[in-house]
Amino acid sequence: MRRWGQAQVSGAAALALVAVLLANPGAGAQQPTEPPQIEAGVGPGAPVPDPRPGEAFADPKVAELQRTATDVQRELSDLSDKIRTAEDELRQATSKVDRARVEREAADKIVAAQQGEVDAYSAALYSALAQPSELQMLLTAGGPEEFLQGSSLIERVRIDQDQRLAQAVARQRGAQDAENAAVGTERVAAERKADLDRRNGDASNRAAAVSSELRGKVEDTNAAVIAQQTAQRERNQKTAANWKAYTEKLAFAGIVAPKAAALRDPAQLPARLEPLPGSTGAPQPGVARATLPTGEKLLVLPAEVIGAVNTAVSVLGKPYVPGTGGEGPNAYSCDGLVRSAFAAGGLALPGAVAEQMGVLTPVPTPDAQPGDVVFLGPARLGVQGVGIVLDERTMLTADGRLAGVVVTDLPGGDTLLGVARPALGQRQPQPVPQATDGGLRWRCGGVQLPPRAPGEAPGAWGGYPNGLIPQAALCLIGVGSHSLRCDAAGSFRAMSDAFASVFGRAICLTDSYRTFAAQVRLYGVKPALAAVPGTSNHGWGLAVDLCGGAQSFGTPEYAWLAQNAGVFGWGNPPWARPGRGREEPWHWEYIGS
């Protein structure tokens, strides 16, 4: 069989961890922008570490970088929590001092009032009768009974005044003691806050150091990745050139590719064609060969299959998307690529990979021919990927780890679940392997995570860490160089068009995909508010920050988005809405349909 792929290259050759170096921002109408908001970009609380296993990353270097990033996240998150705690403690202590001061001042007023009463009473008696006493009462009383009554009244007045004054003084002393204690607590909290302020400054320096350290690691990875990406690009180009050479050879030989139906019976092939023996020696249905005047045997595929491979080859290098919208033309999932390619060739296939495996006619693995499809496992993960066979060692697929449409190696061992030939038509649906390990869901060779929480974006996807996704794996959204994951970008464009039909202008935004370095810079500005680097959904290309009125609750722009964004798969996360304690009306995430 003729090899149409280049010599085998590692599957990691498609890595493109060069979000800055390989950026290729396209033209788009510039909008007046504002500085990015300093917001969490993720629900408050503990950071969200990347739960993907190492094999979910496109290259061991990337997995190592992710572990480093996770360690940094943990360190920065711990410091951020301590800063928030210290600020809360200081606020509480200051509030307690304020309350104690109010109470002490009230007690001062009561003491002053009581003392005033005593002074006024004494002054009145002195001016009228001189100092009242029992002797005076004895001299002025009209009789024993009058003396006893007057003496008792004076004593009661004295006791009452003394008690009220003593109570007021006791309250004053208690309030003073409480105020002194609160001031002491405030002093301790202030000292702790001052210490944490110093540590906060250290945090900014540490963030810069982390950024520098990661920058070095990223640069080291980039150097290897650039070489690998160059090799992948060359592999893709070589494959495309070889495929073109094959179709030109057919044309030069005067061979017109027959329809699939004409090749299904090896005993009744069109003129000039002969059966192609399979691994058992029996002729294979759905393909044929022709003997050229030179004696060379040339493989002949159905016209529909040649059309499908033509289409698939033409989209090499396009981005990968894990969910809906994977049938192009801007981005593809593995099953979406297969469906759209064969539809272009004239063969209708189901949309989902499990459905494709269930209805397509299988062929023995050793008999796999170009244009057949190969299904990926292993069985414990269920059928989770599909590619188009190019030769005995390579396939073309939209790869979840490599985040693009690439030429890569055929799976081996238990990862290969089977081969099918679309040219043979479809059978009644058959059972296919289902996931049994109970772990993370795999799709198209990569892990597909569930949403972090209801109403939030799912987070990690593809084979790259947060904030280190190559620009080649993202799509522009039509506003400057802003980009997102391709399905999010497409839905944002549609939402912006609908918004413009109401407000006469596109949605204004200040931020979209945010690199890891940008996250570190924002964290350095405000560690207590900004997302811990590596946790923001901006770093997954699944979040935007809006402006132009949409950044505030209660505006017509926000109200329109609140009512309509869900239709396009977008939402203001529950934790960011009014009354949730950390309101961020400007922050919107792509949840998907």
Side-chain angles (χ1 to χ4, degrees):
M1 189 188 321
R2 181 175 177 78
R3 286 184 51 77
W4 291 325
Q6 192 186 15
Q8 183 176 1
V9 179
S10 168
L15 282 177
L17 185 57
V18 283
V20 177
L21 295 177
L22 299 181
N24 182 27
Q30 291 282 353
Q31 285 183 309
T33 58
E34 304 168 13
Q37 303 282 356
I38 306 298
E39 86 297 308
V42 68
V48 184
D50 194 327
R52 293 175 296 177
E55 62 267 25
F57 292 97
D59 184 86
K61 290 181 179 293
V62 178
E64 180 182 357
L65 185 63
Q66 177 60 45
R67 286 191 293 270
T68 299
T70 299
D71 292 340
V72 172
Q73 292 166 22
R74 189 176 296 111
E75 179 182 5
L76 296 182
S77 176
D78 179 65
L79 179 60
S80 180
D81 289 343
K82 289 180 179 177
I83 290 172
R84 292 191 186 99
T85 299
E87 290 177 341
D88 290 342
E89 289 175 352
L90 181 57
R91 280 193 296 270
Q92 292 172 9
T94 301
S95 177
K96 190 174 182 180
V97 168
D98 292 340
R99 291 195 302 270
R101 183 172 292 117
V102 169
E103 175 64 21
R104 192 262 304 159
E105 290 173 349
D108 289 346
K109 291 179 180 178
I110 293 173
V111 169
Q114 291 297 317
Q115 187 63 56
E117 288 181 11
V118 171
D119 293 344
Y121 173 73
S122 299
L125 288 179
Y126 272 118
S127 62
L129 301 173
Q131 174 66 33
S133 66
E134 292 183 0
L135 176 60
Q136 186 176 9
M137 287 297 300
L138 177 63
L139 296 175
T140 59
E145 184 177 354
E146 184 177 347
F147 168 76
L148 292 175
Q149 290 176 347
S151 176
S152 175
L153 175 62
I154 291 172
E155 183 65 22
R156 287 200 301 270
V157 170
R158 285 175 177 171
I159 291 173
D160 180 63
Q161 286 188 332
D162 288 345
Q163 286 178 343
R164 287 195 293 165
L165 182 58
Q167 290 172 354
V169 170
R171 177 178 175 181
Q172 181 188 42
R173 289 173 180 169
Q176 185 64 59
D177 290 343
E179 182 181 11
N180 291 338
V183 169
T185 301
E186 183 186 36
R187 185 182 303 110
V188 171
E191 291 172 353
R192 174 171 169 77
K193 176 64 168 57
D195 176 64
L196 284 170
D197 282 341
R198 290 190 292 272
R199 294 177 63 185
N200 187 29
D202 292 342
S204 298
N205 295 333
R206 188 177 300 110
V210 166
S211 179
S212 177
E213 178 183 355
L214 287 175
R215 188 179 302 114
K217 289 180 178 294
V218 170
E219 288 173 354
D220 290 343
T221 303
N222 282 345
V225 167
I226 290 172
Q228 292 174 339
Q229 189 182 37
T230 300
Q232 180 66 54
R233 189 180 300 112
E234 292 175 352
R235 188 183 198 188
N236 291 349
Q237 292 171 349
K238 183 66 174 178
T239 296
N242 285 344
W243 176 258
K244 182 179 179 182
Y246 163 72
T247 57
E248 289 177 345
K249 197 168 190 176
L250 282 177
F252 183 78
I255 299 173
V256 177
K259 292 292 185 180
L263 297 181
R264 288 176 183 163
D265 184 355
Q268 298 182 9
L269 297 175
R272 298 185 59 191
L273 300 185
E274 59 188 71
L276 177 69
S279 56
T280 64
Q284 297 190 52
V287 293
R289 65 181 180 182
T291 303
L292 303 183
T294 61
E296 179 185 356
K297 301 289 187 180
L298 182 62
L299 179 68
V300 178
L301 301 173
E304 297 92 333
V305 173
I306 291 177
V309 178
N310 282 340
T311 298
V313 168
S314 71
V315 298
L316 279 169
K318 291 281 188 177
Y320 164 82
V321 286
T324 58
E327 296 185 19
N330 297 316
Y332 296 86
S333 61
C334 58
D335 41 12
L337 173 65
V338 168
R339 176 182 170 89
S340 63
F342 279 94
L347 293 176
L349 302 183
V353 59
E355 295 173 345
Q356 291 172 1
M357 186 176 186
V359 301
L360 291 180
T361 303
V363 297
T365 299
D367 291 347
Q369 300 296 325
D372 290 344
V373 294
V374 56
F375 295 99
L376 289 65
R380 63 182 178 80
L381 301 179
V383 52
Q384 50 95 3
V386 61
I388 299 174
V389 176
L390 296 176
D391 57 39
E392 73 275 9
R393 298 177 67 179
T394 60
M395 68 176 178
L396 190 154
T397 187
D399 190 280
R401 293 187 315 133
L402 306 178
V405 179
V406 298
V407 175
T408 188
D409 299 326
L410 280 170
D414 65 351
T415 305
L416 196 159
L417 296 180
V419 176
R421 185 162 294 164
L424 296 180
Q426 299 182 15
R427 56 180 177 169
Q428 288 297 315
Q430 301 294 313
V432 300
Q434 302 292 326
T436 59
D437 72 342
L440 297 172
R441 182 188 177 195
W442 287 73
R443 174 169 169 75
C444 300
V447 171
Q448 192 167 21
L449 298 177
R452 291 169 164 174
E456 290 189 38
W461 63 278
Y464 304 93
N466 183 294
L468 296 171
I469 301 172
Q471 191 67 36
L474 302 171
C475 285
L476 295 172
I477 61 177
V479 180
S481 60
H482 285 291
S483 59
L484 295 167
R485 195 176 74 184
C486 291
D487 49 352
S491 66
F492 184 88
R493 287 193 296 269
M495 181 170 68
S496 186
D497 289 343
F499 181 94
S501 69
V502 175
F503 295 96
R505 65 185 188 279
I507 296 176
C508 175
L509 75 161
T510 62
D511 206 9
S512 52
Y513 170 66
R514 187 180 294 165
T515 66
F516 190 91
Q519 294 179 54
V520 170
R521 286 195 298 272
L522 288 176
Y523 183 87
V525 172
K526 201 73 171 177
L529 294 179
V532 174
T535 68
S536 173
N537 270 327
H538 284 286
W540 297 121
L542 296 173
V544 294
D545 288 344
L546 305 183
C547 51
Q551 76 276 18
S552 302
F553 296 124
T555 64
E557 292 84 356
Y558 182 89
W560 186 92
L561 288 167
Q563 182 176 359
N564 297 284
V567 175
F568 301 94
W570 285 86
N572 186 214
W575 58 263
R577 296 174 190 169
R580 301 301 178 93
R582 196 161 185 166
E583 292 82 0
E584 295 181 8
W586 57 82
H587 180 81
W588 293 74
E589 296 184 356
Y590 180 67
I591 305 165
S593 56

